[in-house]
Amino acid sequence: MIHRLSKFIFHTLLGWKLVGNFPTELKKYIVIGAPHTSWKDFPIAILARTVTRIKINYIGKASLFKPPFGLIFRKLGGTPVDRSKSTNLVDAIVAIFNEKDEFRLALSPEGTRKYTDKWKTGFYFIAKGANVPIVMFAFDFKNKQIVVADPYYLTDDMEKDFNHFLDFYKDIIPAKPELFNNKNLL
């Protein structure tokens, strides 16, 4: 029922389409979603995830998980993160990957909806530490599509890897183009 309703909303009411597929044969990977420039990104991502029937979790700032909406965010696969504390989040998430047989985690490499000069690198070090690939997806508002890339296995060259990410995202038009840095990610 939820799947059909999500498909109806995503495709028919909103007019969005999905280009590419999240890998079903892989049980563990990091999903990076960008450009993250609008509050609209989250509901569109949740709809796309529901349409694909792939279980993908996410983390979000702790304030989102307080009443009255906290229960909803948790039910949607979210886990709160207290960004005010200096904990080693990378190691904690790597441990989750190592403990579970199946775990897919979606993150926004920008870490905010505001303009940022550089991407956060936590997703990269989580993928390295857990030895899992990265699946990129893009919010292309101009063409009303979610674009999903094939899994990317990191090299030992961080600059090369980030250039690969930049190449994928450079022509994507987000909800608010002025908030997306498509020139340099590191």
Side-chain angles (χ1 to χ4, degrees):
M1 173 72 170
I2 299 282
H3 173 71
R4 277 188 265 158
L5 179 60
S6 295
K7 280 179 78 170
F8 176 75
I9 293 169
F10 186 75
H11 295 297
T12 308
L13 289 182
L14 299 178
W16 279 70
K17 62 186 172 192
L18 196 60
V19 177
N21 296 298
F22 290 104
T24 56
E25 72 284 357
L26 293 175
K27 301 296 182 199
K28 297 180 182 185
Y29 51 87
I30 300 278
V31 178
I32 58 171
H36 182 33
T37 64
S38 168
W39 66 269
K40 298 173 194 172
D41 301 338
F42 179 76
I44 289 171
I46 293 295
L47 284 169
R49 181 193 70 180
T50 306
V51 166
T52 65
R53 294 184 174 173
I54 301 286
K55 183 178 179 184
I56 301 172
N57 295 333
Y58 65 92
I59 57 174
K61 59 184 175 180
S63 62
L64 293 174
F65 292 85
K66 293 180 179 176
F69 300 110
L71 182 62
I72 295 168
F73 285 118
R74 280 185 174 81
K75 287 287 185 191
L76 292 172
T79 300
V81 173
D82 186 352
R83 295 190 288 187
S84 67
K85 292 183 179 173
S86 60
T87 58
N88 194 332
L89 187 59
V90 169
D91 288 344
I93 295 174
V94 168
I96 293 170
F97 270 100
N98 292 334
E99 292 166 6
K100 295 186 178 274
D101 292 328
E102 182 174 333
F103 189 65
R104 298 172 194 95
L105 179 65
L107 299 166
S108 166
E110 296 151 298
T112 181
R113 291 183 310 248
K114 299 175 181 146
Y115 181 87
T116 180
D117 288 328
K118 308 285 182 213
W119 276 9
K120 304 234 179 247
T121 56
F123 76 94
Y124 185 85
F125 291 107
I126 293 167
K128 286 289 254 188
N131 197 28
V132 297
I134 292 176
V135 175
M136 297 173 286
F137 82 93
F139 297 101
D140 185 350
F141 274 78
K142 179 181 179 187
N143 298 302
K144 289 185 116 180
Q145 59 189 18
I146 294 281
V147 182
V148 182
D150 290 334
Y152 179 74
Y153 292 85
L154 299 175
T155 69
D156 288 326
D157 184 341
M158 189 174 186
E159 187 174 339
K160 176 184 174 188
D161 294 335
F162 271 75
N163 283 335
H164 177 80
F165 305 145
L166 180 61
D167 190 52
F168 177 77
Y169 288 108
K170 70 179 180 206
D171 296 324
I172 298 295
I173 307 297
K176 297 179 179 179
E178 70 278 7
L179 298 180
F180 181 51
N181 172 11
N182 64 351
K183 305 279 187 272
N184 184 21
L185 306 179
L186 264 178

